[in-house]
Amino acid sequence: MAAFGSAYASPSCSSSLSFSHVSPCFFRSAFVCFHRPFRARRQSLSNSHPTAGNDEQVEGVSQKRFPGRGKDEKAYLPPDGGRGDAGRSQSHSQSTVFKSIATQKRDTRAVYDLKDQQACQSSCFFLLTPLEIFKTQISLMRLLRFIALILLLTTHFLGRNNVNLPALGGMFLSLDLCAFMIGDGKLLTNAHCVEHGTQVKVKRRGDDTKYVAKVLARGIECDIALLAVESEEFWKGAEPLRFGQLPCLQDSVTVVGYPLGGDTISVTKGVVSRIEVTSYAHGSSDLLGIQIDAAINPGNSGGPAFNDRGECIGVAFQVFRSEDTENIGYVIPTTVVSHFLDDYERNGKYTGFPSLGVLLQKLENPALRACLKVPSNEGVLVRRVEPTSPANDVLKEGDVIVSFDGVQVGSEGTVPFRSTERIAFRYLISQKFSGDVAELGIIRDGTYMRVQTVLETRVHLVPFHIEGGQPSYLIVAGLVFTPLSEPLIEEECEDSIGLKLLAKARYSLARFKGEEIVILSQVLANEVNIGYEDMGNQQVVKFNGTPIKNIRHLAHLVDSCKDKYLIFEFEDNFLAVLDREAASTAGPLILQAYGIPGKRSSDLLEPYIDAEEDDGIPNQDIGDSPVSNYEIGFDGLLWA
């Protein structure tokens, strides 16, 4: 394993988000990133909703919904440092709250999420570089002697994540972040620490010189970012960290960072409490994680965790907080970090963790196994296969997966892990890379067979993150269209987003790659669109009779339209009709009146290429299974 050097990040957010309650059956969990606020340049312009009567006070907690979780399931969050309630009503007070490790701007009326802190002007990363290998049971004073710190400054712009009206400007904020050296002129930190960053600079402890750092790759699912600093002066005297192996239970662990309460390095110590597949707050994914009882607070995000031999065993990134628990923090293990780095080296970019793309059901009931002609206590039932997954060509509903690359799958959806442990089946999938081939042992109608399938990254109909930071948008005579995304859902309240749209986001699957749910976000009032001013958050399904595939397709249809009228057909057969010539004349005037620089986002300026093939794929209505990567508890269901 290559040597690595260590640094810590802790950003701060100022973007306020509100969250909608879907239904009591949806288990709501909150993930938050801990950031240390540096300095605010301007006040946030984003909407904030006052919270009321929440029993669980969470500082800087931005709630994320993980649909379909059973009541017995856990949720994990990145730790945060602002103040805010974790919910909007009493019905949310029992939600489990996890926080992500980055300090956030304090606001008693709004909740914040580190990854949504586009409003930040500058973020600071503190980089630590050990000068020699730590000795067993090393003392705190000796530990401090062997570490050189670096401050990393990142510029964030709030307007890049204005999901309601992306063309409008935002605010800038300053963030304190952490990162650590991994050799070859590169640093490692959390992805949520640099999301929406426009500039990253680093500064070593004891040195006032700032150096520009470049973000080479961001792993959303694994919450890891790779940075590079070209200056040779920056690396003088720096010695990279060594990565250690996956620890065992009760192994000692030391976490270093810059949490709230001071400007100098802070060291906390504890033990490894649990190692299992964990929900990653920032990426809304399930990967291997290490639970520790060492205190993790705002400012620890991106900081390394060491074992007693001075080896880095992972990166601190999130924490669980509630009135009933304490000292539950989470570390990204070196196995996940290595996968991220190997992926970058293989492809020159981060391609992501693959998915099998099937909904599975546990086979614990003997009668169920007998009915499916499964001879032993093994296997999981395929309930649903995603249309965009390569597995859709080889697996069918009703198949029973009994092995994955020769590893037997238990009836609870677990596989052997190390010597005496078992772990969730999806752990094996996460060890693969996008494009790898996996061999599945299945039972179909009582007959055992082996099939092979390619593993690819999952296609989300409603993305959890917005590629490039700024949402796509199209403005036609004051009608603002944008794709439905989780950031948009989080920013809107339940009444405005609509239960039907929420249900589609939670339960529907993409029928082909590139499919999006395009909605009318709002209407910029003008006489040309009179009568439509109150429309908002409604899905547009057709334009002049043509079904809409995505926002790029809609822009192409509008540009190529030669008809007298522009006819937008929404859900429930609601129509909005505009005179094409009048709309063309009014468009520039509306943009000028509202101070909007362009009628569409830059990505929609490129020529449209119809690469999405949806012919022959049935138009699926809302399904009966949540679209989630998470295990669903009582129902015995899990996504692979």
Side-chain angles (χ1 to χ4, degrees), residues 83-156:
R83 262 189 202 129
D85 291 348
R88 296 177 57 245
S89 66
Q90 286 288 354
S91 64
H92 301 160
S93 63
Q94 300 303 321
S95 298
T96 303
V97 176
F98 280 84
K99 298 178 175 187
S100 170
I101 319 166
T103 305
Q104 309 197 2
K105 184 174 179 180
R106 305 192 174 202
D107 189 335
T108 57
R109 296 181 62 246
V111 291
Y112 298 93
D113 184 358
L114 170 63
K115 69 185 188 60
D116 291 308
Q117 321 219 349
Q118 320 81 355
C120 307
Q121 170 67 21
S122 292
S123 302
C124 300
F125 284 86
F126 294 88
L127 178 67
L128 294 101
T129 307
L131 303 181
E132 65 178 51
I133 302 300
F134 296 151
K135 305 301 182 181
T136 302
Q137 301 298 330
I138 191 168
S139 66
L140 174 60
M141 295 303 296
R142 186 171 177 80
L143 173 66
L144 297 180
R145 285 177 52 203
F146 293 153
I147 293 180
L149 287 168
I150 294 174
L151 176 65
L152 192 152
L153 309 164
T154 306
T155 301
H156 294 256

Side-chain angles (χ1 to χ4, degrees), residues 32-43:
V32 183
C33 300
F34 281 162
H35 301 272
R36 300 176 59 204
F38 194 57
R39 63 183 182 277
R41 300 290 177 91
R42 295 165 53 189
Q43 290 185 347

Side-chain angles (χ1 to χ4, degrees), residues 360-396:
L360 305 173
Q361 177 179 347
K362 301 175 182 179
L363 295 182
E364 298 176 277
N365 188 279
L368 177 58
R369 293 196 300 270
C371 178
L372 295 171
K373 300 178 182 179
V374 179
S376 58
N377 185 20
E378 62 179 355
V380 285
L381 174 65
V382 175
R383 285 198 59 219
R384 195 176 180 186
V385 185
E386 295 185 358
T388 56
S389 169
N392 190 46
D393 298 328
V394 296
L395 293 178
K396 299 179 180 179

Side-chain angles (χ1 to χ4, degrees), residues 206-433:
D207 186 0
D208 289 336
T209 305
K210 299 181 180 69
Y211 302 89
V212 175
K214 179 182 179 181
V215 179
L216 299 179
R218 280 193 312 122
I220 298 299
E221 298 96 332
C222 57
D223 200 2
I224 301 174
L226 184 66
L227 314 178
V229 179
E230 296 181 356
S231 174
E232 295 181 359
E233 185 70 22
F234 173 80
W235 297 98
K236 284 186 177 180
E239 190 172 322
L241 288 179
R242 288 196 314 161
F243 271 12
Q245 296 180 348
L246 195 66
C248 298
L249 299 182
Q250 285 296 309
D251 279 1
S252 295
V253 58
T254 301
V255 178
V256 188
Y258 289 86
L260 291 177
D263 295 327
T264 59
I265 184 175
S266 171
V267 179
T268 57
K269 191 169 185 177
V271 298
V272 174
S273 306
R274 179 182 292 150
I275 299 177
E276 64 179 357
V277 174
T278 300
S279 299
Y280 279 45
H282 180 68
S284 301
S285 57
D286 278 4
L287 298 171
L288 191 66
I290 302 174
Q291 178 183 321
I292 62 175
D293 67 355
I296 295 181
N297 296 296
N300 279 118
S301 268
F306 298 99
N307 58 20
D308 277 343
R309 295 180 296 278
E311 299 169 332
C312 179
I313 62 167
V315 185
F317 74 117
Q318 65 186 29
V319 66
F320 171 81
R321 289 199 174 172
S322 106
E323 292 181 348
D324 301 326
T325 62
E326 60 182 17
N327 291 345
I328 299 181
Y330 292 90
V331 172
I332 303 172
T334 54
T335 53
V336 176
V337 175
S338 297
H339 187 287
F340 168 82
L341 295 175
D342 290 344
D343 185 9
Y344 179 78
E345 291 222 2
R346 285 186 178 193
N347 305 287
K349 61 180 181 178
Y350 173 74
T351 61
F353 286 75
S355 168
L356 186 57
V358 295
L359 179 66
L360 305 173
Q361 177 179 347
K362 301 175 182 179
L363 295 182
E364 298 176 277
N365 188 279
L368 177 58
R369 293 196 300 270
C371 178
L372 295 171
K373 300 178 182 179
V374 179
S376 58
N377 185 20
E378 62 179 355
V380 285
L381 174 65
V382 175
R383 285 198 59 219
R384 195 176 180 186
V385 185
E386 295 185 358
T388 56
S389 169
N392 190 46
D393 298 328
V394 296
L395 293 178
K396 299 179 180 179
E397 294 180 3
D399 288 348
V400 176
I401 300 177
V402 295
S403 68
F404 182 91
D405 277 348
V407 180
Q408 297 299 309
V409 179
S411 61
E412 289 187 333
T414 60
V415 294
F417 180 64
R418 299 200 285 199
S419 57
T420 60
E421 303 173 71
R422 295 190 70 84
I423 199 168
F425 162 51
R426 53 190 176 274
Y427 166 74
L428 297 180
I429 303 173
S430 69
Q431 301 304 295
K432 295 282 191 175
F433 292 89

